[in-house]
Amino acid sequence: MPDNLSATLIKLLSPLMLLIASEVISAPVMQTAELDGQPRSWRLFVPDGIREGAEYPLVFNFHGTGSSPKQIAELNELETLAEQHKFIVVAPKAEFSYEAGGRQTWNVEQLDSPYNDVAFIKGLIAHLAQHYPIDTARIYATGFSGGARMSSRLACDLSDTFAAIAPIAGVRFADNCAPARAMPVLTYHGTQDPVNHYQHQADSPRYWYMGVEPAIEDWVKFNGCESTTTTAIRAGITKTEWSDCRDDVAVIFYRSEQAGHTWPGSPKADILAKYGLGSTDDLPMSEIIWAFLKQYQRQ
């Protein structure tokens, strides 16, 4: 084909190729359905290139109190990672609040309310599995702040469904926590957190009745871990890993001396700091989380 003809064809076809490419680029969508007798909504991201007959991991991405599915997606950029590594992300929307007109959050304490969030998530998994190629042995949960507490709740109540969790800035071990099996846990917390205090204080929020270390110690004890290794990975940041646990799980804790209430490596960290939530670290936390979660699948 003559070079001038090739150039002409490329020039003519370029707008069409650009249109086709734009149509296949994956984008998140907000969905709504009646689950557990109530209309509930969530943000769903399915990566491009899903192959027929294949099944893909599902990661729950829980937003914090007063936040939204869109904001948690922007905070941790998990969807960008999902596009690269081919997993599905769902960011549910909270509806519960402690008082009328209050900020929406997750009913982690399972208080008397129309909103039973554990039942909601259980129903949502069943709903999504009917419509999308989900590998039900590889369902995970992460979240920030109130979303971290919700991730912890699900590890207690739905351990036969979730393969691993990664709560950030809000790990919990509920008083009535009774998982059916050992649970892999990765978490991060700053000692300068002004919201979910590293150590419980008199002015801690009503739901924050346990500091960070006691919660982690309970997960370590429940998982029957026998070995501990602590490593300094940055100035002021240590990584402690508990291993030799039941069912080959691990508990990993990133402790920051300088960080506040934040998601490490987030492009929105400056906004959190602007609202007085403190500084952050340059750890690529979303990548660290995915590297941890993907090791595990429910047997």
Side-chain angles (χ1 to χ4, degrees):
M1 183 180 293
D3 289 344
N4 60 344
L5 180 57
S6 297
T8 302
L9 285 174
I10 290 173
K11 185 176 180 180
L12 290 172
L13 290 174
S14 289
L16 177 60
M17 290 188 292
L18 181 61
L19 176 61
I20 293 172
S22 67
E23 289 177 346
V24 299
I25 293 174
S26 47
V29 294
M30 284 299 297
Q31 297 181 333
T32 301
E34 186 170 304
L35 300 174
D36 194 35
Q38 291 182 324
R40 299 295 300 259
S41 58
W42 57 88
R43 174 184 172 113
L44 183 70
F45 179 85
V46 180
D48 181 34
I50 293 295
R51 293 180 289 107
E52 185 176 355
E55 294 182 332
Y56 297 87
L58 174 65
V59 179
F60 277 81
N61 194 17
F62 290 99
H63 67 76
T65 300
S67 187
S68 69
K70 182 176 184 289
Q71 288 174 327
I72 187 63
E74 293 174 345
L75 182 69
N76 59 22
E77 296 185 312
L78 201 61
E79 292 168 1
T80 301
L81 206 60
E83 185 69 68
Q84 178 184 352
H85 295 283
K86 304 307 177 191
F87 59 89
I88 298 170
V89 181
V90 59
K93 183 180 182 298
E95 299 291 350
F96 170 79
S97 61
Y98 285 103
E99 55 271 324
R103 295 188 302 165
Q104 292 171 323
T105 188
W106 303 101
N107 190 4
V108 177
E109 289 74 35
Q110 299 178 321
L111 302 176
D112 185 20
S113 164
Y115 298 105
N116 181 332
D117 284 324
V118 172
F120 163 43
I121 298 306
K122 190 173 182 179
L124 179 53
I125 292 171
H127 175 82
L128 293 175
Q130 289 181 342
H131 301 282
Y132 299 93
I134 293 168
D135 183 349
T136 56
R138 294 186 293 167
I139 299 177
Y140 311 104
T142 188
F144 175 64
S145 189
R149 295 187 293 110
M150 188 61 199
S151 300
S152 302
R153 177 82 259 175
L154 294 171
C156 293
D157 292 7
L158 297 181
S159 62
D160 56 348
T161 299
F162 285 85
I165 64 166
I168 302 302
V171 64
R172 286 283 305 277
F173 190 93
D175 288 342
N176 61 348
C177 187
R181 63 175 185 87
M183 177 62 62
V185 178
L186 180 145
T187 189
Y188 165 97
H189 214 105
T191 62
Q192 306 306 308
D193 192 325
V195 179
N196 294 335
H197 302 134
Y198 188 81
Q199 295 181 331
H200 180 263
Q201 302 173 186
D203 61 344
S204 291
R206 70 181 80 184
Y207 56 78
W208 195 250
Y209 54 81
M210 174 186 290
V212 176
E213 291 184 10
I216 295 172
E217 288 169 2
D218 282 347
W219 280 115
V220 169
K221 181 179 179 181
F222 175 80
N223 286 333
C225 304
E226 297 180 357
S227 300
T228 310
T229 304
T230 299
T231 308
I233 60 170
R234 294 273 205 289
I237 305 175
T238 57
K239 173 188 176 183
T240 301
E241 179 170 359
W242 289 265
S243 55
D244 296 327
C245 311
R246 288 189 297 116
D247 302 332
D248 295 323
V249 308
V251 177
I252 297 178
F253 173 39
Y254 288 86
R255 181 183 190 270
S256 173
E257 293 291 343
Q258 61 268 1
H261 196 60
T262 189
W263 187 287
S266 171
K268 302 293 184 180
D270 57 335
I271 296 177
L272 297 181
K274 177 183 176 182
Y275 285 98
L277 298 181
S279 64
T280 190
D281 298 304
D282 63 353
L283 290 177
M285 187 50 62
S286 295
E287 289 87 346
I288 290 171
I289 285 172
W290 175 240
F292 175 78
L293 296 177
K294 70 179 182 180
Q295 302 175 90
Y296 300 98
Q297 64 179 22
R298 186 174 53 81
Q299 299 299 320

